[in-house]
Amino acid sequence: SCDPKVLRSVCRVPKHRLSEIMNADKKSGSVEAPVNHRIRITLMSRNVKNLEKVSADLINGAKGKKLDVRGPVRMPTRVLKITTRKTPCGEGSKTWDAYQMRIHKRLIDLYSPVETLKQITSISVMPGVEVDVTVADPEA
């Protein structure tokens, strides 16, 4: 079983829900299969190569544990643009510079018990890749 403090720092789960999730099979008293949760992993980066490598590592790790994996779903690229004048004083010919930053995003959905989440997300994350993990309620 995972340490609730570690699990809380990795997942965005309210404390009251986390204790319910961790103690679900203790209350029932019977031995049941672990409850599967939908775990959504959101990856964001400006570098596509690093983003694809991290998503491939996550998916290979999850498939190695025989989990149901959906994704990576490629979300539309967000393009942030700034257009500015080249001259700081405003004199001279009216020339402009255009700068842009592209932010790429991938979604991966896993269906697994919460206990396996720490094992899956223990991969090394490439620099510049932001990982966000959310856990949903168990499947009905």
Side-chain angles (χ1 to χ4, degrees):
S1 151
C2 263
D3 181 21
K5 290 180 183 176
V6 173
L7 193 61
R8 174 104 173 107
S9 67
V10 172
C11 307
R12 289 186 181 170
V13 178
K15 278 188 176 179
H16 68 278
R17 286 291 300 137
L18 186 63
S19 61
E20 290 175 18
I21 292 169
M22 296 299 287
N23 299 324
D25 51 335
K26 291 179 185 175
K27 289 180 184 176
S28 65
S30 63
V31 178
E32 295 179 7
V35 178
N36 282 344
H37 296 269
R38 181 177 57 83
I39 300 166
R40 174 161 285 176
I41 302 173
T42 306
L43 304 169
M44 293 174 54
S45 177
R46 293 182 302 176
N47 189 339
V48 180
K49 286 184 182 180
N50 290 353
L51 185 68
E52 291 293 335
K53 178 161 183 359
V54 170
S55 73
D57 289 347
L58 274 170
I59 290 172
N60 289 338
K63 286 185 178 177
K65 303 254 183 230
K66 306 280 193 245
L67 299 178
D68 185 19
V69 180
R70 306 283 164 85
V73 178
R74 288 162 177 84
M75 300 304 286
T77 302
R78 188 182 310 158
V79 180
L80 306 175
K81 293 182 180 179
I82 295 178
T83 305
T84 182
R85 285 284 305 268
K86 282 187 179 181
T87 61
C89 63
E91 292 184 20
S93 60
K94 312 260 185 295
T95 54
W96 297 82
D97 270 336
Y99 299 99
Q100 69 178 9
M101 179 171 63
R102 294 175 175 264
I103 300 174
H104 307 275
K105 188 174 180 180
R106 303 287 184 266
L107 295 180
I108 300 172
D109 283 338
L110 304 174
Y111 295 91
S112 72
V114 178
E115 291 80 25
T116 61
L117 177 64
K118 189 166 185 328
Q119 298 168 359
I120 296 165
T121 57
S122 65
I123 65 161
S124 62
V125 178
M126 302 291 288
V129 178
E130 184 181 323
V131 180
D132 183 35
V133 179
T134 56
V135 179
D137 289 336
E139 297 173 343

